Amino acid sequence: EAGVAQSPRYKIIEKRQSVAFWCNPISGHATLYWYQQILGQGPKLLIQFQNNGVVDDSQLPKDRFSAERLKGVDSTLKIQPAKLEDSAVYLCASSLVPGGETEAFFGQGTRLTVV
Amino acid sequence: KNQVEQSPQSLIILEGKNCTLQCNYTVSPFSNLRWYKQDTGRGPVSLTIMTFSENTKSNGRYTATLDADTKQSSLHITASQLSDSASYICVVNHNDMRFGAGTRLTVKP
């Protein structure tokens, strides 16, 4: 079974630039999550999709972050404009159903460095 | 305040030794508690899952315990190996996943 695919693996940008991350979840997984993991901390939920609808985006900084999941499969997360404090690993995860009842499988993440 | 607190923040042990990682939570009620292992540069991978009615669950050299009365869980690693070097994250689920900050374990030869 193919896992959660993310790209790129690494990205370095200057502050105020834009960046986009891509995620392809495990086939058949209706729930997709984007997490931000700052060095030394646990993952923090940014947004959760159920199929192509948003379930929870309460911690997404909407003035600069946006995400979409077209057709309920792949998803993109965008930051525009980036700030220094956005430097982190961005993890995408997917699960069959929401709420942690089934295991969430994580991608390898995209390490973003904003300079 | 984080609803899932882990200790210690980091731990260094010698290969072959045992260790125990702690997780205290305030999430209540909850449906299940998972321990994840996160290797450097990788996403977290589930090691164990326990419902609120389970007290212990083993996965090879990993044994997780749960005390729902004191709201504590522990992950015990037996006969540690170099490949156990990773971050171990406690996640409590109730409608959503609440992550601890993790314990960074380093196993030295």
Side-chain angles (χ1 to χ4, degrees), chain B residues 10 20 23 28 63 86:
Chain B
S10 62
T20 301
C23 174
S28 183
T63 299

Side-chain angles (χ1 to χ4, degrees), chain A residues 13-89:
Chain A
I13 62 172
E14 295 182 349
K15 59 183 179 183
R16 290 187 289 274
Q17 284 188 322
S18 302
V19 64
F21 312 128
W22 173 83
C23 172
N24 180 238
I26 292 174
S27 178
H29 281 195
T31 307
L32 185 147
Y33 313 82
W34 281 103
Y35 289 90
Q36 180 192 60
Q37 187 174 26
I38 293 173
L39 187 64
Q41 299 182 19
K44 167 191 159 186
L45 179 68
L46 292 175
I47 189 166
Q48 176 183 340
F49 292 95
Q50 182 66 16
N51 296 308
N52 60 348
V54 175
V55 173
D56 183 356
D57 63 356
S58 57
Q59 297 195 79
L60 186 73
K62 298 180 185 63
D63 57 333
R64 299 184 300 106
F65 286 64
S66 65
E68 61 181 7
R69 190 182 184 196
L70 298 176
K71 300 180 181 179
V73 182
D74 293 3
S75 177
T76 56
L77 175 69
K78 296 178 181 178
I79 307 175
Q80 179 181 5
K83 292 185 175 181
L84 295 177
E85 57 262 35
D86 297 333
S87 294
V89 174

Side-chain angles (χ1 to χ4, degrees), chain B residues 12-86:
Chain B
I12 300 174
I13 62 174
L14 293 176
E15 186 179 13
K17 299 295 185 182
N18 304 335
C19 67
T20 301
L21 314 180
Q22 300 290 344
C23 174
N24 295 340
Y25 60 91
T26 58
V27 181
S28 183
F30 69 93
S31 56
N32 61 64
L33 184 150
R34 289 182 187 270
W35 282 92
Y36 279 86
K37 178 185 180 187
Q38 185 174 22
D39 292 311
T40 300
R42 301 281 186 175
V45 175
S46 180
L47 289 174
T48 64
I49 176 173
M50 288 182 292
T51 64
F52 67 92
S53 61
E54 294 180 293
N55 298 119
T56 186
K57 182 70 70 75
S58 290
N59 177 3
R61 295 180 296 100
Y62 301 102
T63 299
T65 64
L66 175 63
D67 186 332
D69 291 332
T70 60
K71 295 185 173 61
Q72 294 180 326
S73 177
S74 65
L75 181 68
H76 186 74
I77 304 175
T78 305
S80 62
Q81 300 176 358
L82 298 179
S83 59
D84 293 332
S85 294

